[in-house]
Protein backbone atom coordinates (compact mmCIF):
# COMPACT_ATOMS: atom_id res chain seq x y z
CA UNK A 1 0.00 0.00 0.00
CA UNK A 2 0.83 3.66 -0.04
CA UNK A 3 3.41 5.03 2.41
CA UNK A 4 3.87 8.76 2.94
CA UNK A 5 6.89 10.20 4.72
CA UNK A 6 6.89 13.78 5.94
CA UNK A 7 9.78 15.98 7.07
CA UNK A 8 10.60 17.75 9.25
CA UNK A 9 8.58 16.68 12.29
CA UNK A 10 8.98 20.13 13.84
CA UNK A 11 9.77 23.47 12.25
CA UNK A 12 10.42 26.74 14.03
CA UNK A 13 10.48 29.92 11.97
CA UNK A 14 10.64 33.62 12.64
CA UNK A 15 7.61 35.64 11.66
CA UNK A 16 8.00 36.80 8.08
CA UNK A 17 10.29 33.95 7.06
CA UNK A 18 9.32 31.08 4.78
CA UNK A 19 8.50 27.52 5.82
CA UNK A 20 8.89 24.42 3.68
CA UNK A 21 7.53 20.96 4.45
CA UNK A 22 8.41 17.97 2.27
CA UNK A 23 6.64 14.68 1.68
CA UNK A 24 7.48 11.61 -0.34
CA UNK A 25 5.10 8.87 -1.40
CA UNK A 26 5.66 5.32 -2.53
CA UNK A 27 2.76 4.39 -4.81
CA UNK A 28 3.09 5.78 -8.32
CA UNK A 29 -0.71 5.35 -8.73
CA UNK A 30 -1.35 8.13 -6.19
CA UNK A 31 -3.00 10.97 -8.05
CA UNK A 32 -4.19 13.53 -5.53
CA UNK A 33 -2.22 15.29 -2.80
CA UNK A 34 -3.98 17.46 -0.21
CA UNK A 35 -2.46 19.40 2.66
CA UNK A 36 -4.29 19.85 5.95
CA UNK A 37 -3.68 22.30 8.78
CA UNK A 38 -4.75 21.26 12.26
CA UNK A 39 -4.73 23.72 15.11
CA UNK A 40 -4.73 22.38 18.65
CA UNK A 41 -8.08 20.83 19.51
CA UNK A 42 -9.57 21.54 16.09
CA UNK A 43 -10.39 19.66 12.94
CA UNK A 44 -7.95 19.12 10.08
CA UNK A 45 -8.65 21.89 7.59
CA UNK A 46 -7.92 21.52 3.90
CA UNK A 47 -5.65 24.40 2.89
CA UNK A 48 -4.48 23.43 -0.57
CA UNK A 49 -4.37 20.42 -2.84
CA UNK A 50 -2.79 19.38 -6.09
CA UNK A 51 -3.59 16.76 -8.69
CA UNK A 52 -1.06 14.58 -10.43
CA UNK A 53 -1.39 16.40 -13.77
CA UNK A 54 -0.26 19.70 -12.23
CA UNK A 55 3.28 20.62 -11.12
CA UNK A 56 2.58 23.65 -8.96
CA UNK A 57 -0.34 25.47 -7.41
CA UNK A 58 -0.44 28.69 -5.44
CA UNK A 59 -3.02 30.31 -3.19
CA UNK A 60 -1.89 33.63 -1.69
CA UNK A 61 0.96 32.81 0.75
CA UNK A 62 0.68 29.05 0.28
CA UNK A 63 2.04 27.00 -2.60
CA UNK A 64 2.42 23.31 -3.30
CA UNK A 65 4.80 21.68 -5.78
CA UNK A 66 4.70 18.14 -7.08
CA UNK A 67 7.48 16.11 -8.68
CA UNK A 68 5.87 12.93 -9.99
CA UNK A 69 9.13 11.44 -11.20
CA UNK A 70 10.75 11.72 -7.80
CA UNK A 71 7.45 11.06 -6.02
CA UNK A 72 7.65 13.99 -3.72
CA UNK A 73 5.61 17.10 -3.04
CA UNK A 74 6.18 20.12 -0.86
CA UNK A 75 4.24 22.84 0.94
CA UNK A 76 5.67 26.35 0.91
CA UNK A 77 4.40 29.07 3.23
CA UNK A 78 5.78 32.56 2.64
CA UNK A 79 5.70 35.58 4.97
CA UNK A 80 4.74 33.37 7.91
CA UNK A 81 2.49 34.76 10.62
CA UNK A 82 1.83 33.55 14.19
CA UNK A 83 -1.57 32.22 13.09
CA UNK A 84 0.26 29.81 10.77
CA UNK A 85 1.38 27.90 13.88
CA UNK A 86 -0.26 24.46 13.72
CA UNK A 87 0.36 20.86 12.72
CA UNK A 88 0.44 20.35 8.97
CA UNK A 89 -0.33 16.98 7.41
CA UNK A 90 0.35 15.97 3.85
CA UNK A 91 -1.62 13.13 2.29
CA UNK A 92 -1.72 11.06 -0.85
CA UNK A 93 -4.71 9.29 -2.27
CA UNK A 94 -5.60 6.95 -5.04
CA UNK A 95 -8.92 7.01 -6.81
CA UNK A 96 -9.23 3.27 -7.03
CA UNK A 97 -12.56 2.92 -8.82
CA UNK A 98 -15.53 5.11 -9.68
CA UNK A 99 -17.19 3.99 -6.47
CA UNK A 100 -14.16 4.13 -4.22
CA UNK A 101 -12.82 7.59 -3.72
CA UNK A 102 -9.88 8.92 -1.91
CA UNK A 103 -8.38 6.39 0.45
CA UNK A 104 -6.03 8.87 2.04
CA UNK A 105 -2.68 8.00 3.52
CA UNK A 106 -1.41 10.77 5.78
CA UNK A 107 2.12 11.78 6.60
CA UNK A 108 3.14 11.87 10.26
CA UNK A 109 2.69 15.64 10.51
CA UNK A 110 4.88 18.71 10.99
CA UNK A 111 4.50 20.96 14.02
CA UNK A 112 5.12 24.49 12.77
CA UNK A 113 5.84 27.20 15.33
CA UNK A 114 6.03 30.80 14.14
CA UNK A 115 7.65 33.09 16.66
CA UNK A 116 6.99 36.85 16.57
CA UNK B 1 -20.68 25.51 2.54
CA UNK B 2 -18.07 22.94 3.55
CA UNK B 3 -19.64 21.93 6.83
CA UNK B 4 -19.50 18.47 8.33
CA UNK B 5 -21.23 18.35 11.71
CA UNK B 6 -20.46 15.80 14.40
CA UNK B 7 -22.23 15.11 17.68
CA UNK B 8 -21.46 14.89 20.48
CA UNK B 9 -18.30 16.98 20.80
CA UNK B 10 -17.22 15.12 23.92
CA UNK B 11 -18.17 11.68 25.21
CA UNK B 12 -17.14 9.76 28.30
CA UNK B 13 -18.25 6.15 28.42
CA UNK B 14 -17.63 3.07 30.50
CA UNK B 15 -16.33 -0.14 29.04
CA UNK B 16 -19.78 -1.77 29.25
CA UNK B 17 -21.70 1.14 27.71
CA UNK B 18 -23.22 1.42 24.25
CA UNK B 19 -23.06 4.81 22.58
CA UNK B 20 -23.22 6.26 19.08
CA UNK B 21 -21.39 9.02 17.29
CA UNK B 22 -23.23 10.96 14.61
CA UNK B 23 -22.08 12.81 11.53
CA UNK B 24 -24.06 14.88 9.04
CA UNK B 25 -23.24 16.72 5.83
CA UNK B 26 -25.43 18.53 3.33
CA UNK B 27 -22.89 19.08 0.59
CA UNK B 28 -24.18 16.25 -1.58
CA UNK B 29 -20.98 14.29 -1.03
CA UNK B 30 -21.34 10.60 -1.81
CA UNK B 31 -18.35 9.33 0.16
CA UNK B 32 -18.14 9.51 3.94
CA UNK B 33 -15.37 8.40 6.26
CA UNK B 34 -14.57 7.64 9.88
CA UNK B 35 -11.07 8.36 11.13
CA UNK B 36 -9.48 7.86 14.52
CA UNK B 37 -6.81 10.29 15.70
CA UNK B 38 -4.56 9.89 18.69
CA UNK B 39 -2.68 12.84 20.17
CA UNK B 40 0.21 14.07 18.01
CA UNK B 41 -0.59 11.47 15.32
CA UNK B 42 -2.16 11.71 11.88
CA UNK B 43 -5.75 10.61 11.28
CA UNK B 44 -6.05 6.87 10.82
CA UNK B 45 -8.71 5.59 8.43
CA UNK B 46 -11.34 3.25 9.88
CA UNK B 47 -14.22 3.04 7.39
CA UNK B 48 -15.27 4.43 4.02
CA UNK B 49 -18.82 4.55 2.70
CA UNK B 50 -19.44 5.15 -0.99
CA UNK B 51 -23.04 5.67 -2.11
CA UNK B 52 -24.22 4.54 1.34
CA UNK B 53 -22.42 1.23 1.02
CA UNK B 54 -19.43 0.20 3.11
CA UNK B 55 -16.51 0.09 0.69
CA UNK B 56 -13.51 0.00 3.02
CA UNK B 57 -13.08 -1.47 6.51
CA UNK B 58 -9.50 -1.09 7.66
CA UNK B 59 -9.63 -4.21 9.86
CA UNK B 60 -11.38 -2.32 12.62
CA UNK B 61 -12.46 -4.36 15.70
CA UNK B 62 -16.15 -5.30 15.75
CA UNK B 63 -16.75 -3.19 18.84
CA UNK B 64 -16.92 -0.33 16.31
CA UNK B 65 -19.94 -0.65 14.02
CA UNK B 66 -20.57 1.93 11.28
CA UNK B 67 -23.92 2.72 9.74
CA UNK B 68 -24.95 4.97 6.87
CA UNK B 69 -28.75 5.50 7.03
CA UNK B 70 -28.77 7.87 4.04
CA UNK B 71 -26.48 9.96 1.90
CA UNK B 72 -26.25 12.75 4.50
CA UNK B 73 -25.78 10.77 7.70
CA UNK B 74 -23.09 8.53 9.09
CA UNK B 75 -23.12 6.86 12.49
CA UNK B 76 -20.51 4.98 14.48
CA UNK B 77 -21.92 2.63 17.10
CA UNK B 78 -19.66 1.86 20.03
CA UNK B 79 -19.90 -1.13 22.35
CA UNK B 80 -17.57 -2.69 24.91
CA UNK B 81 -14.73 -0.30 24.15
CA UNK B 82 -11.34 -0.38 25.80
CA UNK B 83 -9.44 2.52 27.40
CA UNK B 84 -7.00 2.46 24.47
CA UNK B 85 -9.91 3.38 22.19
CA UNK B 86 -9.90 6.85 23.73
CA UNK B 87 -9.15 9.26 20.90
CA UNK B 88 -10.56 11.96 18.67
CA UNK B 89 -12.99 10.43 16.18
CA UNK B 90 -13.27 12.40 12.98
CA UNK B 91 -15.88 12.13 10.28
CA UNK B 92 -15.14 13.36 6.78
CA UNK B 93 -16.95 13.56 3.49
CA UNK B 94 -15.70 14.06 -0.01
CA UNK B 95 -16.83 15.33 -3.34
CA UNK B 96 -15.40 13.98 -6.52
CA UNK B 97 -13.09 16.21 -8.48
CA UNK B 98 -11.25 15.22 -11.57
CA UNK B 99 -8.17 13.31 -10.57
CA UNK B 100 -8.94 13.09 -6.88
CA UNK B 101 -11.45 13.63 -4.10
CA UNK B 102 -11.43 16.68 -1.83
CA UNK B 103 -12.30 15.65 1.74
CA UNK B 104 -13.63 17.89 4.51
CA UNK B 105 -13.53 16.97 8.18
CA UNK B 106 -15.97 17.47 11.00
CA UNK B 107 -14.77 18.94 14.28
CA UNK B 108 -14.58 15.49 15.84
CA UNK B 109 -15.85 13.72 18.93
CA UNK B 110 -13.37 13.54 21.79
CA UNK B 111 -14.00 10.08 23.25
CA UNK B 112 -12.77 8.97 26.65
CA UNK B 113 -13.29 5.35 27.73
CA UNK B 114 -13.09 4.79 31.46
Amino acid sequence: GENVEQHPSTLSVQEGDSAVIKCTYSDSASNYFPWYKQELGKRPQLIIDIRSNVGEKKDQRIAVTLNKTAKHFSLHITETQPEDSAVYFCAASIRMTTDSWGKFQFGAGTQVVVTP
Amino acid sequence: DTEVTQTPKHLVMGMTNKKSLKCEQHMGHRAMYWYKQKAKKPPELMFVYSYEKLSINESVPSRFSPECPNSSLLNLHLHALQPEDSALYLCASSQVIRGGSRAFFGQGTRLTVV
Side-chain angles (χ1 to χ4, degrees):
Chain A
E2 175 64 278
N3 182 47
V4 177
E5 293 193 0
Q6 183 172 347
H7 299 282
S9 57
T10 58
L11 181 58
S12 293
V13 294
Q14 287 283 108
E15 182 177 359
D17 288 349
S18 296
V20 180
I21 304 170
K22 298 182 179 181
C23 290
T24 59
Y25 61 98
S26 60
D27 195 329
S28 56
S30 292
N31 57 9
Y32 173 65
F33 307 92
W35 285 88
Y36 287 87
K37 174 184 180 182
Q38 189 173 27
E39 296 175 71
L40 190 63
K42 297 194 174 179
R43 76 184 80 190
Q45 182 182 7
L46 180 67
I47 56 172
I48 197 167
D49 54 7
I50 192 167
R51 301 190 297 271
S52 57
N53 60 345
V54 175
E56 184 174 359
K57 183 177 178 181
K58 190 173 181 181
D59 182 4
Q60 300 182 346
R61 296 187 297 108
I62 294 173
V64 57
T65 58
L66 171 65
N67 183 326
K68 283 176 58 179
T69 304
K71 288 191 258 181
H72 65 71
F73 57 112
S74 300
L75 178 72
H76 303 254
I77 307 174
T78 59
E79 300 172 23
T80 53
Q81 301 167 5
E83 52 264 38
D84 294 328
S85 297
V87 178
Y88 291 80
F89 292 103
C90 64
S93 82
I94 304 170
R95 181 175 175 173
M96 294 176 284
T97 69
T98 302
D99 291 333
S100 183
W101 306 326
K103 179 177 178 178
F104 296 94
Q105 181 67 42
F106 284 85
T110 297
Q111 175 72 64
V112 173
V113 177
V114 180
T115 52
Chain B
D1 182 15
T2 56
E3 191 71 21
V4 177
T5 304
Q6 289 186 244
T7 55
K9 289 185 180 178
H10 301 275
L11 178 63
V12 179
M13 61 185 290
M15 289 187 283
T16 58
N17 291 160
K18 285 184 180 181
K19 297 286 184 183
S20 296
L21 309 184
K22 297 185 183 301
C23 174
E24 188 170 4
Q25 57 90 14
H26 295 287
M27 295 178 278
H29 292 174
R30 301 311 297 271
M32 295 185 76
Y33 312 77
W34 281 114
Y35 283 87
K36 173 183 178 180
Q37 188 178 28
K38 290 279 205 178
K40 300 185 185 299
K41 297 290 186 182
E44 182 182 333
L45 182 66
M46 300 174 72
F47 303 103
V48 180
Y49 273 82
S50 298
Y51 291 108
E52 296 92 70
K53 288 186 171 53
L54 183 64
S55 60
I56 296 175
N57 176 341
E58 292 286 272
S59 303
V60 179
S62 60
R63 58 185 184 269
F64 295 91
S65 176
E67 179 196 20
C68 190
N70 59 55
S71 61
S72 299
L73 294 175
L74 186 66
N75 298 322
L76 185 63
H77 303 296
L78 313 173
H79 174 55
L81 295 193
Q82 304 297 310
E84 57 265 29
D85 296 322
S86 298
L88 180 67
Y89 286 85
L90 293 161
C91 173
S93 70
S94 69
Q95 62 190 109
V96 178
I97 61 171
R98 189 174 175 182
S101 54
R102 185 170 280 164
F104 298 96
F105 284 86
Q107 79 276 23
T109 294
R110 178 76 58 187
L111 174 68
T112 303
V113 181
V114 297

